[in-house]
């Protein structure tokens, strides 16, 4: 199919009653009979092959809204970390009255609370974190609310710690497993927020009621009971979403009838999610082709101008930039700031070979010029060397100007997860509305190596963390033997991975029970794919340390108790990240070995286990809790992020590091592999044109190499 094949409507089922105006001019198909946003997109979007010359700057309304935010709210927030907290109202979809930035100028309306940047408490996750965060923000706890969530209402955190075993508690306290979502929302669930715009909430409620009653005569089972109860919660959440819309004078019962409404309805659905859950990653999905269908229809009808189209996207993005969750200082340190990863995925190809690049793909990137750079939404481009040249050049130009775009391999994602996939958080792909992830932080694979050498004693505290006698330490003062260390490392990984997955199963059992994401799951199919998102940190340091043991001479240094606390390394050894198979194969073997051990353990709700090699920010926290390594990495210093080579160990340049990372088997890390590279604009060329061209070339070459 070409980009022009779907200009005229094809025969299909007539639009249901009440949708004629909303669906006027759209090509019909399966999506009119059942909830199927992908089918709607595939039948109606058009690839844009041009350049960025059609784009508009910010309107006066947008500039006034942004100026109001900066002067009255953002500047104040920067002075005191947290602008304000509502300490009296437990958050929910319809818990707060309507709020505005500037009621006269807001084009897209809706706030998490009633005031911009005011944070809401979400005590269903756990009261201890809420109380700590309130006090750290300089506020007083409402004793009546505290009483409810400590005496009458059990929280997710309470449930988790009632079940945790001594082994899990020991691993958690020693930081060999860090960042577990046992006191906050798990995230990694992308509601198909587009469904509210395309179908309206009344239709979605009807669909959920039909699904709920479809199992009514099957006879009792635990699955049957949970299925019906969860659907009841989803229906209640959808009804609250209608109430939320009413607060702002928006009738989300019906489908959106124009482009402005399509964006507004979609945002209301997303707003319902961030009002009721504080997940570690509240990603928004894949929106541009969907929105563009409405924009193109309105532009062709003369009811919308390009300036207005850009204004709508700009103001939508403003709303995404000011989402805030009530977090503790410790949480912020794990994530090096205050992120929530509203990841917006864009670009890539459809399975029929058409690029999913639209004018709205350009409008999204234009917000980084109109509003300035920002980390939210986390714009993620599904890159392929065959994408339209104008789009690739614009992505490159915006990357150079703002450093605010990340890139993923479209071929890898589309091949595994389909052409309506999106990224949750940083690198985790999933089918929108058909899949969710049980998010699980990650294990400290570096610390596990040091535990293996010391027989389960912590190299920092000296405490015996694993059960006494279960693991034996390296004995003697001679050089370390690679085979002995590897054997002990594998045994230690059995313990670490087993403890880790046990913790994840407990966390997600309790989360479903006490902090279920009703509105997000209401915007999913009734039967979905679940994955268990495991992960590792410290890959490069483990690979380099094992390489040092294998190819150089590593002598352990003990303290007065016999604990190995440092290493004397003599001779050269190959380091991961330099396209040297000797070190790169060790890294790939580590990832494969961990994944094998994860695969051997049953998962909660029969989730499919996946793994990520990802530490975008928490690499700093992992490093703080970890000792010295045979590679020369020093105690307390940050790990390198994700699958990056260890800091200072890659000496052969960016392409060599990309080649090394490309040797990691994607089958062993289907939750994603992260490589973070830094290039100064001057390093890309002398002129703007040279820089744009060269960055496109680097991206093309890197993703071709990865796919080969």
């Amino acid at each position: 199919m070409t980009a022009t094949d779907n200009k005229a409507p094809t025969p299909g089922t007539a639009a249901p009653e009440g949708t004629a105006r909303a669906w006027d001019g759209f090509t019909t198909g399966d999506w009119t009979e059942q909830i199927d946003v992908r089918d709607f997109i595939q039948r109606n979007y058009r690839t844009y092959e041009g350049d960025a010359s059609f784009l508009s700057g910010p309107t006066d309304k947008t500039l006034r809204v942004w100026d109001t935010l900066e002067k009255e709210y953002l500047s104040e927030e920067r002075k005191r970390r947290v602008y304000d907290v509502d300490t009296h109202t437990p958050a929910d979809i319809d818990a707060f009255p309507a709020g505005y930035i500037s009621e006269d100028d807001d084009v897209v309306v809706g706030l998490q609370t009633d005031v911009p940047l005011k944070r809401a408490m979400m005590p269903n996750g756990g009261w201890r974190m809420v109380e700590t965060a309130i006090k750290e923000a300089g506020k007083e706890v409402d004793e009546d609310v505290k009483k409810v969530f400590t005496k009458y209402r059990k929280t997710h955190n309470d449930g988790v710690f009632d079940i945790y075993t001594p082994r899990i508690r020991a691993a958690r306290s020693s930081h060999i497993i860090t960042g577990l979502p046992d006191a906050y929302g798990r995230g990694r669930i992308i509601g198909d927020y587009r469904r509210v715009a395309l179908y309206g909430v009344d239709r979605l409620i009807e669909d959920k009621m039909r699904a709920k009653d479809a199992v009514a005569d099957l006879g009792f089972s635990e699955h049957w009971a949970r299925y019906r109860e969860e659907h009841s919660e989803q229906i209640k959440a959808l009804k609250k979403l209608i109430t939320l819309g009413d607060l702002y004078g928006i009738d989300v019962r019906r489908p959106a009838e124009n482009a402005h409404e399509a964006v507004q309805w979609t945002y209301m659905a997303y707003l319902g999610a961030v009002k009721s859950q504080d997940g570690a990653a509240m990603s928004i999905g894949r929106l541009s082709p969907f929105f563009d269908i409405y924009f193109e229809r309105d532009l062709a009808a003369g009811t919308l101008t390009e300036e207005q189209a850009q204004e709508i996207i700009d103001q939508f993005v403003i709303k995404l930039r000011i989402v805030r969750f009530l977090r503790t200082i410790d949480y912020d340190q794990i994530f090096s700031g205050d992120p929530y990863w509203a990841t917006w995925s864009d670009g890539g190809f459809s399975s029929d070979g058409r690029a999913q690049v639209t004018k709205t793909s350009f409008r999204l990137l234009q917000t980084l010029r109109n509003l300035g750079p920002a980390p939210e939404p986390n714009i993620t481009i599904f890159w392929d060397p065959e994408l339209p040249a104008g789009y690739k050049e614009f992505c490159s130009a915006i990357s150079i100007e703002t450093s605010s775009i990340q890139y993923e391999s479209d071929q890898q994602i589309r091949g595994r997860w389909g052409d309506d996939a999106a990224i949750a958080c940083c690198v985790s792909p999933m089918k929108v509305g058909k899949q969710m992830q049980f998010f699980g932080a990650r294990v400290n694979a570096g610390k596990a190596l040091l535990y293996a050498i010391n027989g389960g004693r912590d190299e920092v505290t000296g405490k015996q963390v694993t059960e006494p006698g279960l693991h034996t330490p390296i004995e003697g003062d001679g050089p370390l033997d690679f085979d002995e260390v590897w054997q002990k490392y594998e045994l230690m990984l059995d313990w670490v991975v087993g403890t880790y997955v046990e913790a994840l199963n407990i966390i997600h059992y309790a989360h479903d029970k006490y902090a279920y994401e009703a509105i997000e799951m209401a915007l999913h199919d009734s039967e979905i794919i679940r994955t268990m998102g495991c992960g590792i940190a410290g890959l490069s340091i483990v690979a380099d340390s094992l390489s040092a043991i294998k190819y150089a001479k590593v002598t352990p240094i003990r303290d007065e108790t016999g604990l190995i606390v440092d290493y004397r390394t003599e001779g050269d050894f190959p380091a991961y990240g330099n396209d040297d198979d000797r070190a790169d194969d060790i890294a790939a073997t580590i990832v494969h070995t961990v994944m094998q051990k994860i695969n051997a353990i049953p998962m909660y709700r029969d989730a499919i286990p996946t793994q990520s090699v990802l530490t975008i920010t928490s690499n700093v926290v992992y490093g703080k809790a970890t000792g010295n390594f045979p590679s020369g990495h020093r105690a307390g210093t940050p790990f390198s992020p994700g699958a990056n080579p260890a800091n200072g160990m890659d000496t052969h340049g960016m392409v060599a590091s990309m080649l090394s990372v490309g040797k990691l088997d994607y089958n062993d890390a289907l939750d994603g592999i992260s490589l973070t590279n830094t290039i100064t604009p001057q390093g890309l060329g002398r002129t703007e044109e040279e820089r744009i061209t060269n960055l496109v070339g680097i991206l093309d070459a890197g993703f071709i190499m990865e796919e080969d």
Side-chain angles (χ1 to χ4, degrees), residues 175-340:
H175 304 292
I176 197 166
I177 303 173
T178 299
L180 291 169
D182 51 19
Y184 60 91
R186 57 190 165 194
R188 304 285 177 88
I189 304 173
I190 306 174
D192 191 353
Y193 306 110
R194 306 167 301 188
R195 294 184 182 191
V196 172
L198 184 57
Y199 296 105
V201 175
D202 281 349
R203 169 79 181 274
L204 299 181
I205 290 174
E206 290 173 7
D207 188 69
K208 288 296 180 180
M209 292 179 67
R210 187 165 47 249
K212 175 186 173 182
D213 290 339
V215 301
D217 299 324
L218 295 182
F220 182 84
S221 67
E222 184 177 350
H223 173 76
W224 175 93
R226 179 163 55 187
Y227 182 91
R228 284 183 57 80
E229 184 180 22
E230 288 183 348
H231 274 69
S232 292
E233 291 301 311
Q234 292 172 23
I235 292 166
K236 291 174 188 175
L238 288 169
K239 291 178 179 178
K240 289 180 180 180
L241 187 61
I242 291 174
T243 302
L244 175 63
D246 289 344
L247 290 171
Y248 287 94
I250 294 167
D251 184 11
V252 295
R253 299 170 184 81
R254 61 170 176 80
E257 296 181 354
N258 54 51
H260 183 203
E261 289 189 350
V263 174
Q264 179 68 73
W265 269 227
T266 301
Y267 173 61
M268 293 309 286
Y270 182 72
L271 186 60
V274 297
K275 277 176 168 283
S276 55
Q277 288 290 331
D278 63 344
M282 300 294 286
S283 301
I284 199 163
R286 197 166 186 167
L287 303 178
S288 295
F290 177 76
F291 287 158
D292 201 73
I293 294 165
Y294 288 88
F295 281 126
E296 286 296 295
R297 185 182 66 172
D298 289 2
L299 286 164
T303 58
L304 185 76
T305 66
E306 181 55 41
E307 291 76 12
Q308 291 170 325
Q310 186 65 53
E311 179 180 70
I312 292 168
I313 295 297
D314 284 347
Q315 295 225 15
F316 180 35
V317 166
I318 286 174
K319 291 300 191 296
L320 299 182
R321 289 190 180 189
I322 62 170
V323 169
R324 297 290 188 272
F325 293 118
L326 182 62
R327 309 288 202 192
T328 63
I329 292 173
D330 283 347
Y331 180 98
D332 288 351
Q333 288 177 344
I334 291 175
F335 296 104
S336 296
D338 194 14
Y340 73 103

Side-chain angles (χ1 to χ4, degrees), residues 550-615:
K550 186 172 185 177
Y551 295 106
K553 179 181 177 182
V554 177
T555 305
I557 300 172
R558 300 177 185 271
D559 68 7
E560 63 277 4
T561 69
L563 183 72
I564 296 174
V565 295
D566 206 351
Y567 306 87
R568 183 172 65 253
T569 301
E570 302 170 90
D572 296 328
F573 59 91
Y576 165 74
N578 295 292
D579 192 25
D580 188 318
D581 286 344
R582 293 174 296 170
D584 297 345
D585 287 350
I586 292 173
T589 300
I590 294 165
V591 176
H592 180 70
T593 300
V594 173
M595 192 63 228
Q596 277 188 317
K597 296 182 184 302
I598 292 170
N599 276 326
I601 304 171
M603 301 287 161
Y604 170 63
R605 294 187 83 163
D606 298 321
I608 300 168
T610 60
Q611 179 179 207
S612 65
V613 187
L614 166 69
T615 45

